[in-house]
Structure formats: C-alpha cells, structure tokens
Amino acid sequence: VEVEATVPVRDHQGLPAASTPDPYPASNDQVVSAEDAIHLRVPISEEDFMEQGLTPTQADILAVREHEEQLLLEHFGRCIYVFLCFMSILMPGMLGLFAWMVMSLWFDRRECDVPLHTWAYVSITIAIYNVTLNRQSLKGSIVSRTFCRWTPDPMNPRRLPARVWIYNTCLSVFMFSWNACGLYWAGRSGQDEESGLPACQEVA
C-alpha cells in the first residue's frame, strides 16, 4: 500500500504557516489575461502585466495608462458621451461646408474684391495635407518620421523633441492665422468701392 506523505508548509521563520482560505478563489471562468481585462474594464495592476511577459517599465506605463482611462470613464464618461454626440452632429456640417467650398471654386471662378479664392485654395491644401502627410498614428505622422527624424514609441512615451514641438506649433499658428485672415477678408468684402471688382456676396 502506497502512503502519500504531505509536507507542512512553513513560513520564512520555519514555523507552520496558517492555512487561511482565499477570500477570492480564482476559477477557470474568472482568470483573464491583462489584454482581456483591459477590454472588460477589470481593474488590473502592474503585476498582472508583468505576468504577461512585459518588462517592469512597460508594465508600469500600461498600468498607469489603464488607471487614467478608468478615471476618465468614471468621472467624465457623461461629458465624453456628450462630446461624441456633438462631434457626430458637427462633422457632417463641416464636411458639407468643405464640399460646398470645393464645388463653388470649381463652377464659379470669378474674382471678387478680396482674395477669398486664394484663401480657399490654401485651406483645401491644408486639409489634404493634414489627412495625408500629417495624419497622426501610433508611429507619428509621415512628416515627423521623414523630416523631423522622430518616431514615437507607444510602449515608452517620451517628451516631444524640440524640433517636433516647433513644427507642430508653427503649423497650428499658421492654420489659426490663415483662418483669421479669411474671416477678416470676408468682413471687408464690399467696403472698398475703388477696387473695381464685385463683392464676394454678389459673386457667390
């Protein structure tokens, strides 16, 4: 007859360890990976990420990011929902105005007393540039990778280099200033009677 011997579990001092039942026993249905926990919104810690084979630095970054997302969903979920609803209404209007501007330039090329045609051409070029060469992704935009020689690492976020910050700042200032010029020219249209050209309201 074979007798199965059991070895008592002892702690670090050599004393028998107290066998306390786990208040949260893990069953096969409750064990989830770190990636599944992110989608299920289950609170996870840095140790959970490290069990998936990540380094301590990567695990710490992902744990902090997950905590930030949970705080945003808990405290700003309603605001985010209202913002998404507002954007879903605003985006079709912006696309409609953009399409109307392109069609107006295509079918009616008469000049008016202010350079709104030039403003429209530059605005269309900026829009195409932002959705192609300057489109942001996890690896940055094509411009930042090619001309600024910088590729961000999603697993190891760092501060923007000075050259990338200067490029983003100059582009934002230029777009804001150009839109302000368009509003200024639209307001001045029809006020200069000596230009010899009709007002933009009459041409459009």
Side-chain angles (χ1 to χ4, degrees):
V1 179
E2 295 182 1
V3 179
E4 193 173 318
T6 59
V7 179
V9 180
R10 299 179 180 274
D11 57 7
H12 64 280
Q13 295 179 353
L15 301 176
S19 59
T20 56
D22 190 359
Y24 304 102
S27 62
N28 294 331
D29 297 335
Q30 293 176 336
V31 177
V32 294
S33 63
E35 296 180 356
D36 297 334
I38 293 176
H39 297 290
L40 296 174
R41 313 312 307 173
V42 178
I44 54 180
S45 61
E46 181 179 350
E47 289 76 11
D48 297 326
F49 285 110
M50 293 179 63
E51 291 178 358
Q52 305 298 319
L54 299 178
T55 63
T57 303
Q58 295 174 343
D60 181 65
I61 292 172
L62 290 178
V64 171
R65 186 178 302 173
E66 173 65 16
H67 182 65
E68 292 176 352
E69 293 178 357
Q70 290 178 359
L71 289 179
L72 286 176
L73 290 177
E74 291 176 1
H75 300 284
F76 302 101
R78 186 172 300 177
C79 296
I80 294 174
Y81 177 75
V82 173
F83 175 76
L84 291 177
C85 293
F86 178 75
M87 289 300 298
S88 63
I89 297 174
L90 183 63
M91 285 302 296
M94 295 176 60
L95 292 176
L97 289 176
F98 184 79
W100 174 79
M101 182 176 63
V102 173
M103 297 296 291
S104 299
L105 288 175
W106 183 263
F107 291 105
D108 192 355
R109 302 187 181 184
R110 292 178 295 171
E111 294 292 338
C112 58
D113 55 349
V114 291
L116 283 184
H117 279 195
T118 303
W119 177 86
Y121 286 128
V122 176
S123 299
I124 293 173
T125 304
I126 293 174
I128 297 174
Y129 174 77
N130 285 330
V131 299
T132 54
L133 299 178
N134 199 43
R135 183 173 60 88
Q136 299 296 326
S137 63
L138 293 178
K139 294 297 183 179
S141 64
I142 298 177
V143 176
S144 64
R145 295 195 304 266
T146 304
F147 296 99
C148 298
R149 309 297 298 175
W150 180 74
T151 301
D153 185 5
M155 302 299 298
N156 187 19
R158 295 174 298 173
R159 187 176 180 180
L160 285 177
R163 59 186 182 276
V164 181
W165 184 86
I166 293 174
Y167 162 73
N168 292 334
T169 303
C170 292
L171 182 62
S172 300
V173 171
F174 172 75
M175 290 190 298
F176 178 81
S177 302
W178 190 250
N179 290 331
C181 288
L183 293 175
Y184 172 76
W185 288 330
R188 282 186 52 86
S189 179
Q191 297 181 6
D192 189 4
E193 299 179 354
E194 299 180 357
S195 63
L197 295 174
C200 294
Q201 294 87 342
E202 300 176 2
V203 174

